[in-house]
Amino acid sequence: MALLAKFFALFFLLLAVYCATDPFKHSSIAEFPNFVAHKVDMYPWSELPTERDNENLLQKSEIKFLNQVRGPESIAFDPLGRGPYTGLADGRIVFWNGESWIDFAFTSPNRSELCNPQASDAYVKNEHICGRPLGLRFDIKTGDMYICDAYLGLMKVGPEGGLATSLVTEAEGVPLKFTNDLDIDGEGNIYFTDSSVTYQRRNFIQLVSSGDNTGRILKYNPTTKETTVLVRNLQFPNGLTMSKEKSFLIFCEGSIGRLARYWLEGEKAGASEVFSILHGFPDNVRTNEKGEFWVAIHCRRTNFSYISGLYPGLRKFWLKLPITDKIQYLLSIGGRLHAMLVKYSPDGKLLQILEDSEGKVVKAASEVVSTQTCEGVRTLGLTSTQQKVLKRKYQTSTPTSL
């Protein structure tokens, strides 16, 4: 027994020395000598929502456009209702014309054979060259499409498509590092997120694992060309959407797992507040015709991710191990992909959950757009992981509690 205790003591000592020195540079943060792990502003475990979709309704989803689009993130329909338009992993923005996907626009002026989807699968490696369009929105008055390119900043392209024009690449002298999502108010002002001023999108694992708190919410005035920082020091701000009346905006805080509201009008104008605590890690949020908010949740929060959020030292220890980014990612999400779609009322009340807890059909959802039909609600969601578009028709169901 004593020998066994000595063995484990020696093992953990050597492991600690290995993690402290990282001699072979095989860890996820080997190339980030200034990496700092921050404490995530977690809520008490007892306050986290527990509702589930026990019927796993997302498993009944109809898969559309299988293997036709790779890495779709955001979707948009133009002022005439045509589309969807979506940005792909190879840097293109494509358009569904009713029969096939055709090229509509691109964000990088430096595209080459590296960006050819048939030439290489190294999209993440080359996306800073090829561009990576994320959030998409149309200005219904002008027909212009506004684009958040993760590397190239806030951009715009006309109704005819082509090469997008750069609008914003920095704010207050600080370059945009991870431009993510946007929305437009009634006067044409653009509100958008910069997820981090430290890490780029291709360093997603390091960004999430660090609990980086340099994210920002910004406003661009197309008349004055001025960019204003509205909210700063956020932990991975992601999706953003205006309320139906344009009186406030809702944005996702990815690391914390919550929705926040920023007031644009009224007595609280300029103030932000918690809107809702989420079941997991959100991607984009979108407003439907009723003024409700659909949130695409990448996966539920696990015990492992919760404890890691509370203890940055433990998180850094794991990152020092010779484990690939893929394994680190799977550890953080509980070992398997499993998507959720969640709907909230205009005042933050949970209305509906759609889930595939086993990840059989919908492995990762990035955005939801809904339209009213005579059959109920038709939801069109996109998943970057599965590289396919998911279309699901359903009637309203009530989420059940554990």
Side-chain angles (χ1 to χ4, degrees):
M1 193 71 178
L3 182 62
L4 185 62
K6 289 181 179 180
F7 171 79
F8 279 110
L10 178 62
F11 172 78
F12 284 112
L13 175 62
L14 292 175
L15 186 63
V17 171
Y18 181 95
C19 290
T21 60
D22 192 13
F24 304 111
K25 306 301 179 185
H26 289 159
S27 74
S28 293
I29 55 176
E31 298 179 6
F32 301 86
N34 299 319
F35 179 88
V36 176
H38 302 270
K39 182 177 180 180
V40 180
D41 296 329
M42 307 290 294
Y43 288 91
W45 183 262
S46 60
E47 293 184 17
L48 299 184
T50 58
E51 298 88 355
R52 291 182 179 273
D53 167 17
N54 290 327
E55 297 181 28
N56 276 313
L57 291 173
L58 279 187
Q59 291 185 4
K60 300 178 182 179
S61 297
E62 176 189 355
I63 307 301
K64 305 290 289 186
F65 313 123
L66 180 62
N67 298 325
Q68 295 182 33
V69 286
R70 184 181 184 116
E73 167 73 13
S74 181
I75 49 181
F77 294 85
D78 65 26
L80 298 178
R82 297 173 300 188
Y85 297 73
T86 188
L88 303 184
D90 59 36
R92 293 176 296 149
I93 297 171
V94 295
F95 161 62
W96 177 254
N97 66 3
E99 297 181 354
S100 62
W101 292 97
I102 60 175
D103 290 354
F104 173 71
F106 52 98
T107 54
S108 173
N110 301 314
R111 292 182 64 83
S112 67
E113 283 301 311
L114 290 173
C115 311
N116 186 334
Q118 281 74 45
S120 172
D121 286 334
Y123 293 112
V124 175
K125 179 181 178 181
N126 299 320
E127 62 184 17
H128 64 295
I129 300 171
C130 304
R132 184 56 168 108
L134 298 179
L136 305 178
R137 297 280 192 171
F138 275 100
D139 185 327
I140 60 174
K141 295 180 180 178
T142 66
D144 294 332
M145 173 187 280
Y146 286 86
I147 308 157
C148 276
D149 186 285
Y151 299 88
L152 303 175
L154 181 65
M155 312 187 80
K156 180 180 76 171
V157 68
E160 70 285 353
L163 176 63
T165 301
S166 176
L167 298 175
V168 182
T169 59
E170 61 88 24
E172 297 181 343
V174 180
L176 304 179
K177 201 82 168 183
F178 188 169
T179 325
N180 202 319
D181 196 24
L182 76 155
D183 204 355
I184 309 171
D185 69 15
E187 299 176 356
N189 297 302
I190 314 299
Y191 299 84
F192 63 102
T193 57
D194 183 24
S195 295
S196 171
V197 303
T198 307
Y199 296 98
Q200 294 185 306
R201 202 200 80 90
R202 55 182 171 163
N203 307 130
F204 173 80
I205 292 296
Q206 291 75 25
L207 166 58
V208 173
S209 300
S210 71
D212 178 80
N213 58 0
T214 63
R216 302 178 289 179
I217 306 297
L218 306 102
K219 173 186 176 181
Y220 171 70
N221 185 320
T223 302
T224 65
K225 314 298 182 186
E226 293 179 336
T227 302
T228 307
V229 179
L230 302 180
V231 189
R232 64 189 78 231
N233 301 325
L234 297 171
Q235 293 183 303
F236 196 13
N238 197 333
L240 180 150
T241 192
M242 304 286 297
S243 66
K244 185 177 181 180
E245 299 79 16
K246 312 293 185 183
S247 60
F248 62 87
L249 58 83
I250 295 291
F251 62 90
C252 298
E253 294 182 85
S255 297
I256 301 172
R258 70 183 180 193
L259 297 180
R261 170 163 47 194
Y262 180 85
W263 289 97
L264 299 170
E265 300 177 358
E267 296 179 355
K268 296 183 179 180
S272 58
E273 61 189 15
V274 177
F275 186 75
S276 181
I277 304 173
L278 299 171
H279 301 71
F281 302 98
D283 200 327
N284 286 341
V285 55
R286 290 293 182 264
T287 311
N288 68 11
E289 295 178 355
K290 295 181 178 180
E292 301 160 337
F293 302 104
W294 273 108
V295 188
I297 295 182
H298 185 66
C299 65
R300 279 186 175 271
R301 185 176 293 280
T302 63
N303 290 326
F304 178 85
S305 64
Y306 183 81
I307 294 172
S308 296
L310 291 177
Y311 300 103
L314 178 62
R315 207 179 327 134
K316 191 170 183 178
F317 172 81
W318 282 109
L319 290 169
K320 283 275 192 173
L321 294 173
I323 299 175
T324 65
D325 285 354
K326 181 178 180 179
I327 299 300
Q328 293 282 4
Y329 170 70
L330 288 174
L331 283 172
S332 70
I333 65 172
R336 69 176 186 278
L337 297 165
H338 54 285
M340 298 177 66
L341 309 179
V342 185
K343 183 169 68 173
Y344 290 91
S345 70
D347 58 0
K349 179 182 177 182
L350 178 64
L351 298 177
Q352 191 168 9
I353 295 177
L354 298 173
E355 192 168 4
D356 183 351
S357 62
E358 299 172 325
K360 289 184 176 180
V361 178
V362 187
K363 297 183 182 297
S366 62
E367 186 171 302
V368 184
V369 174
S370 65
T371 57
Q372 299 298 318
T373 71
C374 59
E375 298 175 89
V377 181
R378 182 181 64 190
T379 299
L380 181 66
L382 292 174
T383 160
S384 301
T385 302
Q386 293 174 292
Q387 300 126 30
K388 62 187 78 168
V389 178
L390 302 168
K391 186 177 181 182
R392 165 86 176 117
K393 292 183 179 179
Y394 59 88
Q395 300 294 334
T396 301
S397 62
T398 302
T400 56
S401 180
L402 284 173

